[in-house]
Amino acid sequence: MALVGRSGSGKTTLLRLVNRLLDADSGEVLVDGISTRAWDPVELRRRTGYVIQDAGLFPHLTVADNIATVPRLLEWPAARVSARVDELLMLVGLDPAVFRGRWPDELSGGQRQRAGLARALAVDPPLLLMDEPFGALDPITKAELHVEFHRQQGTRHRSVILVTHDMAEACALADQIAVLHEGELIACESPETIMASEDPRVRALMAMVGLKADAT
């Protein structure tokens, strides 16, 4: 599911409610049918992958150590952690022999995003939250990571919530698009239905990226 809307519409806030970085003032947020208030926050976050713009890698840790963060917190054996790091680096298109020991500031923007995705997938979480993960990338790198995203979903099915300002990206990647406007959910449909919407607020988002609201 892609969350779209203008800046300030509540996209990131909604995402943070899911992994309990924020608590709702009213109502309930359910993860696996359980209210987030009933989840232990640490346990919830460890089983939820979280990817943000520019990856948010820890600058004092190597790429391998960044990816190994959660497995080590879960006290995985060292051999299992090492094998998982190599597996994930290969999965996101980074040669372990080249990138394992590199520091985040030695990576390009696209490489940091790939490493951030690998870290988020480290314990194969059933839920993946992505907050503008491709927003600062050049078009070629963004297209490559879109392909990688589709490949990931094709081989390892999981629930994904993707926050983006880019309606074209939302239509390309999501099975469902949720449109937020001033903190209100105004639509939640397939990309085809969203593109055919007559709601002027949805049509305005489409117009921002040159998409036709009546396209099929």
Side-chain angles (χ1 to χ4, degrees):
M1 175 176 287
L3 294 178
V4 301
R6 295 177 180 274
S7 296
S9 61
K11 301 185 298 299
T12 295
T13 296
L14 183 55
L15 209 63
R16 289 175 176 172
L17 289 171
V18 176
N19 67 352
R20 208 177 170 187
L21 290 175
L22 295 172
D23 282 324
D25 294 327
S26 61
E28 284 189 309
V29 180
L30 305 180
V31 175
D32 283 347
I34 302 171
S35 171
T36 53
R37 290 191 176 90
W39 279 97
D40 174 75
V42 174
E43 180 184 356
L44 177 62
R45 292 168 197 153
R46 286 181 180 176
R47 70 189 306 279
T48 303
Y50 195 23
V51 186
I52 62 175
Q53 187 169 310
D54 202 30
L57 299 175
F58 300 121
H60 61 292
L61 297 179
T62 64
V63 168
D65 287 336
N66 264 282
I67 296 170
T69 299
V70 175
R72 286 173 176 164
L73 288 172
L74 295 178
E75 300 182 344
W76 284 18
R80 183 185 178 191
V81 172
S82 181
R84 182 61 173 161
V85 168
D86 286 350
E87 176 189 7
L88 287 165
L89 285 171
M90 293 295 292
L91 197 66
V92 300
L94 298 176
D95 184 347
V98 176
F99 291 97
R100 246 184 167 275
R102 288 196 179 177
W103 301 94
D105 64 1
E106 296 177 318
L107 305 179
S108 69
Q111 290 166 348
R112 283 195 298 271
Q113 286 303 134
R114 291 173 190 269
L117 178 58
R119 184 178 64 179
L121 296 173
V123 294
D124 201 16
L127 176 60
L128 182 61
L129 308 178
M130 307 180 78
D131 194 353
E132 294 282 356
F134 313 124
L137 301 178
D138 64 87
I140 293 176
T141 302
K142 181 183 290 189
E144 290 175 348
L145 285 175
H146 284 180
V147 170
E148 183 62 36
F149 177 85
H150 276 299
R151 189 171 72 85
Q152 291 280 331
Q153 282 301 93
T155 59
R156 297 174 180 268
H157 296 290
R158 60 175 56 82
S159 298
V160 179
I161 304 177
L162 167 69
V163 168
T164 179
H165 283 90
D166 187 341
M167 283 296 291
E169 180 172 82
C171 290
L173 298 181
D175 302 304
Q176 296 277 307
I177 297 177
V179 183
L180 297 180
H181 180 76
E182 296 181 355
E184 178 186 358
L185 181 66
I186 61 173
C188 186
E189 304 286 352
S190 69
E192 294 78 12
T193 302
I194 292 294
M195 292 174 72
S197 174
E198 295 298 324
D199 188 307
R201 297 164 296 183
V202 177
R203 294 178 71 91
L205 288 175
M206 293 294 184
M208 289 170 59
V209 292
L211 294 175
K212 301 295 185 182
D214 58 354
T216 58

